[in-house]
Amino acid sequence: MTTREQAQAWDRDDALASHRALFDLPPGLIYLDGNSLGALPRATPERVSQVVRGEWGQGLIRSWNKAGWVDLPRRVGDKIARLVGAGAGELVVADSTSVNVFKTLHAALAIARQDRPGRRLIVSERDNFPTDLYIADSLAREQGCTLLLVDAVEQLGPLLDDGEVAVLMLTHVNYRTGRMHDMAELNRRAHAQGTLVLWDLAHSAGAVPLDLHRDDADFAVGCGYKYLNGGPGAPAFVWVHPRHAGRCTQPLSGWFGHAAPFQFTPTYTPAPGVGRYLCGTPAVLGMAALECGVDTLLAAGDMQALRAKSLALTQLFIELVDQRCAGHGLALVTPRTVHLRGSQVCLSHPTDAYAIMQALIARGVIGDFRAPDILRFGFTPLYTRFVDVWDAVDRLEQVLSSGAAREAVT
Amino acid sequence: MTTREQAQAWDRDDALASHRALFDLPPGLIYLDGNSLGALPRATPERVSQVVRGEWGQGLIRSWNKAGWVDLPRRVGDKIARLVGAGAGELVVADSTSVNVFKTLHAALAIARQDRPGRRLIVSERDNFPTDLYIADSLAREQGCTLLLVDAVEQLGPLLDDGEVAVLMLTHVNYRTGRMHDMAELNRRAHAQGTLVLWDLAHSAGAVPLDLHRDDADFAVGCGYKYLNGGPGAPAFVWVHPRHAGRCTQPLSGWFGHAAPFQFTPTYTPAPGVGRYLCGTPAVLGMAALECGVDTLLAAGDMQALRAKSLALTQLFIELVDQRCAGHGLALVTPRTVHLRGSQVCLSHPTDAYAIMQALIARGVIGDFRAPDILRFGFTPLYTRFVDVWDAVDRLEQVLSSGAAREAVT
């Protein structure tokens, strides 16, 4: 059984350990919820203050050009592109993930109508993140399509092989289970039958290595406030493969997606490429904070190194839970197979999941409860230490063996 | 002719003069562009820093509840509601103006289809702000409607009387001319024929008194970063009359518009009322800054007092330009009739408008140039002084009489 001293030794040997100092973390807290809201980079407060006091307060309207605000969606987009295997100029920061799902799914359906007329099927998973399903359902109704939700991953392949699916829309790493799809294989199987694939990278970007070009994705959206550390409600991002980006417009045709917004022409001419996926005036404060967050990942140099540590962290957590928490009714939800695992571990408990998480939080370990029975723990290799994993399981075992969970909710 | 001393005397007597101290304005600058980007409230940097360092950095995920992030769209919305004559719970802060035009126009068309089946006409003005037209054009194409743009305000009434218009979509104060519509009269004339009216309040909210209920509007959207002083790219707002708010959903059905977002159900149940016009996760930093900006207006107590000063400022500017800048080719674009005037004054120059604005900016007077021939000056009674108006015209006269405009672009 791994001892606390062993975990501390791994931290000493960890080439990424120094990156924890890039973050301003509350002392004594074990934060295993960076997959809900990433931690605060130390650079962010000063940068945001500079934008507020200097660029806005003193520069005022001039800062749209002088401080480069007008370029923020593309500049920060180019940085995120490096994390997901996209090219420069292919990815922009804009709006929320939900809004970007709407834009890209709408565009994918428009392209499917051109290339595969008559196809009316959108496929996703029933336990996909709800906002994606809500948006897909709205578009399906609007466009006379059918949204088909599968209950098991294994159903996807045969469905794709039928050759009737217009668009497959998946979240790469499932928010409830931490299970990761094989992006390359699903894209290949979809494309073999002319199906387009839209990926939500909310739990992947900044968490696992991605290569949208190598894996031949069609569309992708992602979240700024989870592993990208962009802050609460940070703007989201949207990527469109260059083969699709200029083929159609998307319906949220706001002025920032115009080819020349400041000519104020009454008719819409879409910007070339992914620029047409911009809509309204960019959220400058949010984008400035997001840039600081993305910089913390670029500073780590290589998603492969982050991935190796992430797997070591989740593996240690799983092993310690196996060893120390057996007999208390917990079950592992996240796959043991490493290539199916994102950067989180989920456990289920038939009756006490909520109470256990409340008791853990009271003991300084923050994870998530997801109804009805899931305990979710996110591991962010930039700032999670091996000793944090050890201590978290130690406190989990205390909670389980002491009956503290029952007390926490009574 | 008004002297500089007279203008200074008016500032001494101005009951709103002390509110200028609520803003952090660059020394020596005459800022007549608060209608593009409002100035920085002094309270904002500290509040944003508190959100970043405290609520995010220390509170982390817990702040969604403990710091009330989850309520921000409604809390700040209720404050804006007080400025526009809307009731509590009727207005939410969300997304951008462009995105909110999409939501509300889509909803208005859905209701028109129910109540007036067969109507396919959306009417607006050709010189409406382009993003509104781009979105309307997109929706018109998508839904098989026609977007009809009028060139003169006088065409609107007869068009409405024909009884074939589904939705009239107008910006209350025109961004290029400063002309203000008679909201009550247009709503009355539209409703007499069963036409719904959607108002863009981008240049009205915080600038002129509004009473959406008294004037019986149907839908309204507005901008956070102009007269509301919310900062660059601040979130926008959306209001729906209670008689319409529950009648249909809008297509951007993201999880924050769900009746119970944190139950994570796979099917969408819209929140009651205007809550269903929320979409993705709220932009917390932007909303916190926006709340500070809205507070500067609420501190002034009464939009009528702000309106009186606004009209005095624009009147003085017009009179001084008449008196001191005659013979240089400038023409007044904004109506002289006060009830047709927003809180800005626009001048045109047949050849040198861009050069004149560049020369003025070089002399510390910031306004806007709008192609091809418009000089636009915004007057924000919370922080614009009468002496600023006097000095601005003084420098304009210097620019015109010295030929400095020609030099500025050569």
Side-chain angles (χ1 to χ4, degrees), chain B residues 111-188:
Chain B
I111 290 172
R113 256 197 314 279
Q114 291 171 34
D115 294 351
R116 305 279 167 166
R119 288 202 192 179
R120 283 280 173 269
L121 205 53
I122 305 165
V123 169
S124 192
E125 294 178 283
R126 194 175 308 280
D127 68 348
N128 195 349
F129 189 73
T131 209
D132 298 49
L133 299 182
Y134 302 160
I135 296 285
D137 183 56
S138 163
L139 275 171
R141 286 170 198 266
E142 184 97 2
Q143 309 219 348
C145 295
T146 301
L147 174 62
L148 179 65
L149 303 180
V150 303
D151 290 301
V153 174
E154 295 68 29
Q155 297 172 264
L156 289 173
L159 252 174
L160 290 171
D161 296 344
D162 285 347
E164 291 173 12
V165 181
V167 182
L168 173 65
M169 178 189 84
L170 295 173
T171 297
H172 180 231
V173 174
N174 186 285
Y175 84 107
R176 278 172 58 85
T177 65
R179 189 187 198 284
M180 182 164 68
H181 284 296
D182 183 339
M183 187 188 287
E185 170 59 15
L186 283 165
N187 286 339
R188 190 197 60 71

Side-chain angles (χ1 to χ4, degrees), chain A residues 343-388:
Chain A
S343 198
Q344 69 185 55
V345 177
C346 298
L347 307 172
S348 66
H349 190 282
T351 52
D352 297 349
Y354 176 76
I356 293 167
M357 187 52 77
Q358 291 304 305
L360 268 178
I361 291 171
R363 281 159 181 72
V365 179
I366 296 194
D368 266 325
F369 165 72
R370 285 288 175 264
D373 60 353
I374 301 276
L375 297 153
R376 189 174 79 162
F377 301 91
F379 298 87
T380 42
L382 279 176
Y383 52 84
T384 305
R385 297 170 298 197
F386 291 97
V387 73
D388 296 328

Side-chain angles (χ1 to χ4, degrees), chain A residues 26 33 36 38 56 61 69 102 106 131 134 138 142-143 225 231-233 251-255 258 264-265 281-284 370, chain B residues 26 33 36 38 56 58 61 69 102 106 131 134 138 142-143 225 231-233 251-255 258 264-265 281-282 284 370:
Chain A
D33 209 2
S36 267
W56 172 14
I61 193 69
W69 290 347
F102 185 86
H106 193 285
T131 208
Y134 302 160
S138 164
E142 184 98 3
Q143 308 218 352
Y225 54 78
L252 294 170
S253 49
W255 72 313
H258 192 280
F264 299 97
T265 58
T281 307
V284 171
R370 285 288 175 264
Chain B
D33 211 359
S36 267
W56 173 15
Q58 300 303 302
I61 193 70
W69 289 349
F102 185 86
H106 193 285
T131 209
Y134 302 160
S138 163
E142 184 97 2
Q143 309 219 348
Y225 55 78
L252 294 169
S253 49
W255 69 315
H258 192 281
F264 300 97
T265 60
T281 308
V284 170
R370 284 292 174 262

Side-chain angles (χ1 to χ4, degrees), chain A residues 178-219:
Chain A
R179 187 188 200 283
M180 182 163 68
H181 284 295
D182 183 339
M183 188 187 287
E185 170 58 16
L186 282 166
N187 287 337
R188 189 198 60 71
R189 203 154 168 179
H191 290 167
Q193 300 295 333
T195 297
L196 296 167
V197 192
L198 162 55
W199 291 98
D200 182 342
L201 307 178
H203 291 269
S204 310
V208 299
L210 292 162
D211 195 329
L212 291 169
H213 274 288
R214 181 201 61 201
D215 292 348
D216 201 24
D218 296 297
F219 297 87

Side-chain angles (χ1 to χ4, degrees), chain B residues 35-298:
Chain B
N35 51 340
S36 267
L37 175 64
L40 171 65
R42 282 195 192 279
T44 305
E46 182 54 32
R47 173 68 188 132
V48 171
S49 175
Q50 183 185 40
V51 171
V52 172
R53 291 180 192 271
E55 296 180 6
W56 173 15
Q58 300 303 302
L60 288 159
I61 193 70
R62 300 168 289 195
S63 291
W64 278 105
N65 291 313
K66 285 200 181 161
W69 289 349
V70 79
D71 302 320
L72 274 170
R74 290 175 171 85
R75 186 174 86 212
V76 184
D78 279 350
K79 290 187 173 185
I80 295 173
R82 293 161 56 191
L83 298 173
V84 300
E90 294 177 3
L91 189 153
V92 288
V93 173
D95 301 310
S96 65
T97 308
S98 304
V99 170
N100 290 335
V101 169
F102 185 86
K103 295 172 187 166
T104 48
L105 182 54
H106 193 285
L109 290 169
I111 290 172
R113 256 197 314 279
Q114 291 171 34
D115 294 351
R116 305 279 167 166
R119 288 202 192 179
R120 283 280 173 269
L121 205 53
I122 305 165
V123 169
S124 192
E125 294 178 283
R126 194 175 308 280
D127 68 348
N128 195 349
F129 189 73
T131 209
D132 298 49
L133 299 182
Y134 302 160
I135 296 285
D137 183 56
S138 163
L139 275 171
R141 286 170 198 266
E142 184 97 2
Q143 309 219 348
C145 295
T146 301
L147 174 62
L148 179 65
L149 303 180
V150 303
D151 290 301
V153 174
E154 295 68 29
Q155 297 172 264
L156 289 173
L159 252 174
L160 290 171
D161 296 344
D162 285 347
E164 291 173 12
V165 181
V167 182
L168 173 65
M169 178 189 84
L170 295 173
T171 297
H172 180 231
V173 174
N174 186 285
Y175 84 107
R176 278 172 58 85
T177 65
R179 189 187 198 284
M180 182 164 68
H181 284 296
D182 183 339
M183 187 188 287
E185 170 59 15
L186 283 165
N187 286 339
R188 190 197 60 71
R189 205 156 166 177
H191 291 167
Q193 300 295 333
T195 297
L196 296 167
V197 192
L198 162 55
W199 291 97
D200 182 341
L201 307 178
H203 290 270
S204 310
V208 299
L210 292 162
D211 195 329
L212 292 169
H213 274 287
R214 182 200 62 202
D215 292 349
D216 201 25
D218 296 297
F219 296 87
V221 300
C223 176
Y225 55 78
K226 297 178 183 291
Y227 293 93
L228 297 186
N229 306 313
F237 66 86
V238 52
W239 171 83
V240 181
H241 194 289
R243 67 175 167 253
H244 301 307
R247 282 198 60 192
C248 62
T249 55
Q250 54 83 19
L252 294 169
S253 49
W255 69 315
F256 262 76
H258 192 281
F262 296 99
Q263 289 187 359
F264 300 97
T265 60
T267 53
Y268 183 71
T269 306
V274 78
R276 66 185 59 184
Y277 287 77
L278 297 176
C279 182
T281 308
V284 170
L285 303 193
M287 290 198 190
L290 175 58
E291 185 167 25
C292 295
V294 173
D295 285 344
T296 64
L297 287 149
L298 294 175

Side-chain angles (χ1 to χ4, degrees), chain A residues 31-353:
Chain A
Y31 190 61
L32 302 181
D33 209 2
N35 51 341
S36 267
L37 175 64
L40 171 65
R42 282 195 193 278
T44 305
E46 182 54 32
R47 174 65 188 133
V48 171
S49 175
Q50 183 185 40
V51 171
V52 172
R53 291 179 193 272
E55 297 181 6
W56 172 14
Q58 301 303 301
L60 287 159
I61 193 69
R62 298 168 290 197
S63 291
W64 277 105
N65 291 313
K66 286 199 180 163
W69 290 347
V70 80
D71 302 320
L72 274 170
R74 289 175 172 85
R75 186 174 86 213
V76 184
D78 279 350
K79 290 188 174 186
I80 295 172
R82 293 161 57 191
L83 298 173
V84 298
E90 294 177 2
L91 188 153
V92 288
V93 173
D95 301 309
S96 64
T97 308
S98 304
V99 170
N100 291 335
V101 168
F102 185 86
K103 296 171 185 167
T104 47
L105 181 55
H106 193 285
L109 290 170
I111 290 172
R113 256 196 314 279
Q114 291 171 35
D115 293 353
R116 304 281 166 165
R119 288 205 194 179
R120 285 276 172 272
L121 205 52
I122 305 165
V123 168
S124 193
E125 294 179 284
R126 194 175 308 281
D127 69 347
N128 196 347
F129 189 72
T131 208
D132 298 50
L133 299 182
Y134 302 160
I135 296 285
D137 182 57
S138 164
L139 274 170
R141 285 169 198 266
E142 184 98 3
Q143 308 218 352
C145 294
T146 300
L147 175 61
L148 179 65
L149 303 181
V150 303
D151 289 301
V153 174
E154 294 68 28
Q155 298 173 264
L156 289 173
L159 252 174
L160 291 170
D161 295 344
D162 285 346
E164 291 174 12
V165 181
V167 182
L168 173 65
M169 178 188 84
L170 296 172
T171 296
H172 181 232
V173 174
N174 186 284
Y175 82 108
R176 279 172 58 86
T177 65
R179 187 188 200 283
M180 182 163 68
H181 284 295
D182 183 339
M183 188 187 287
E185 170 58 16
L186 282 166
N187 287 337
R188 189 198 60 71
R189 203 154 168 179
H191 290 167
Q193 300 295 333
T195 297
L196 296 167
V197 192
L198 162 55
W199 291 98
D200 182 342
L201 307 178
H203 291 269
S204 310
V208 299
L210 292 162
D211 195 329
L212 291 169
H213 274 288
R214 181 201 61 201
D215 292 348
D216 201 24
D218 296 297
F219 297 87
V221 300
C223 176
Y225 54 78
K226 296 178 184 291
Y227 294 93
L228 297 185
N229 306 315
F237 66 85
V238 51
W239 171 83
V240 181
H241 194 288
R243 66 175 166 253
H244 302 307
R247 283 196 61 191
C248 61
T249 55
Q250 54 83 17
L252 294 170
S253 49
W255 72 313
F256 261 76
H258 192 280
F262 296 99
Q263 290 186 1
F264 299 97
T265 58
T267 52
Y268 183 71
T269 307
V274 77
R276 67 185 59 184
Y277 286 77
L278 298 175
C279 182
T281 307
V284 171
L285 304 194
M287 289 198 191
L290 175 57
E291 186 167 24
C292 295
V294 173
D295 285 345
T296 63
L297 287 149
L298 294 175
D302 185 353
M303 283 304 302
Q304 299 297 341
L306 285 166
R307 174 63 171 168
K309 181 174 174 191
S310 160
L311 285 175
L313 291 166
T314 53
Q315 195 63 31
L316 175 62
F317 185 83
I318 290 171
E319 285 172 13
L320 286 171
V321 168
D322 281 346
Q323 293 163 358
R324 299 191 52 186
C325 303
H328 291 289
L330 288 176
L332 180 67
V333 175
T334 303
R336 288 184 191 270
T337 312
V338 295
H339 72 265
L340 297 177
R341 192 192 307 157
S343 198
Q344 69 185 55
V345 177
C346 298
L347 307 172
S348 66
H349 190 282
T351 52
D352 297 349

